[in-house]
Amino acid sequence: MTRGSKRAIAAYCTLTLMAAAATAWVLMRGLARLDLVGDAVQVRIMECHSEGGGRGGSYSVCSGPQVGNETYTLKIRYDGREGEIVKAVRTPWGGYEPVERSFVSWGIHVLSPVLPILGGSVTGAFAVREVRRVRRETRSGAGVA
């Protein structure tokens, strides 16, 4: 097995694992945003401000108490108005995201995992092809000696 073959196999396997991780993250985020996973709570918006900047751009963050549990303040990435009540869901990584119910949101969150799935499938196929090629070369080289 050549050094180039080892690198190619390692690179394809790494890309396949990265695509699988991206698929899992996108899928879990979409399920959370559509309120299909987790427990949704209602948040009364008390204060909003802008955060971020730079390359990622700025975004609005609002915070307020959970309706029914006024002692616990939640922070969500949302552009709202003071006094508004918003439905939010806890994500697997610990933050809160607003629940989206529109048809466009459903389409986006259902189709978003398709790209990393396709990318992982292609890189996985390349990894398998490279491993088979190396095995074939190893077998043919062993029979000649």
Side-chain angles (χ1 to χ4, degrees):
M1 182 183 325
T2 65
R3 229 174 127 172
S5 296
K6 288 180 184 178
R7 286 184 182 168
I9 292 170
Y12 288 138
C13 289
T14 301
L15 289 173
T16 303
L17 291 174
M18 289 173 59
T23 301
W25 186 83
V26 168
L27 187 63
M28 290 306 295
R29 183 173 188 262
L31 290 173
R33 296 285 301 252
L34 296 173
D35 192 21
L36 298 174
V37 173
D39 297 323
V41 296
Q42 292 187 340
V43 179
R44 179 178 279 106
I45 303 298
M46 298 304 280
E47 182 265 333
C48 292
H49 62 277
S50 181
E51 283 189 6
R55 286 189 157 176
S58 61
Y59 54 89
S60 295
V61 174
C62 296
S63 60
Q66 179 180 338
V67 175
N69 183 4
E70 304 296 326
T71 60
Y72 187 66
T73 300
L74 301 177
K75 186 177 177 182
I76 62 173
R77 192 171 174 169
Y78 180 73
D79 188 16
R81 296 179 313 277
E82 189 174 318
E84 183 179 3
I85 296 178
V86 177
K87 191 173 184 180
V89 66
R90 186 176 178 88
T91 59
W93 47 91
Y96 281 88
E97 297 272 343
V99 173
E100 298 176 353
R101 291 286 186 184
S102 71
F103 179 74
V104 173
S105 295
W106 273 87
I108 289 170
H109 293 301
V110 167
L111 294 175
S112 292
V114 171
L115 189 60
I117 287 171
L118 290 175
S121 300
V122 168
T123 56
F126 284 156
V128 169
R129 185 187 72 177
E130 190 68 22
V131 167
R132 286 181 180 166
R133 186 183 66 76
V134 167
R135 282 186 180 172
R136 192 172 41 248
E137 288 176 0
T138 305
R139 284 184 193 150
S140 66
V144 172

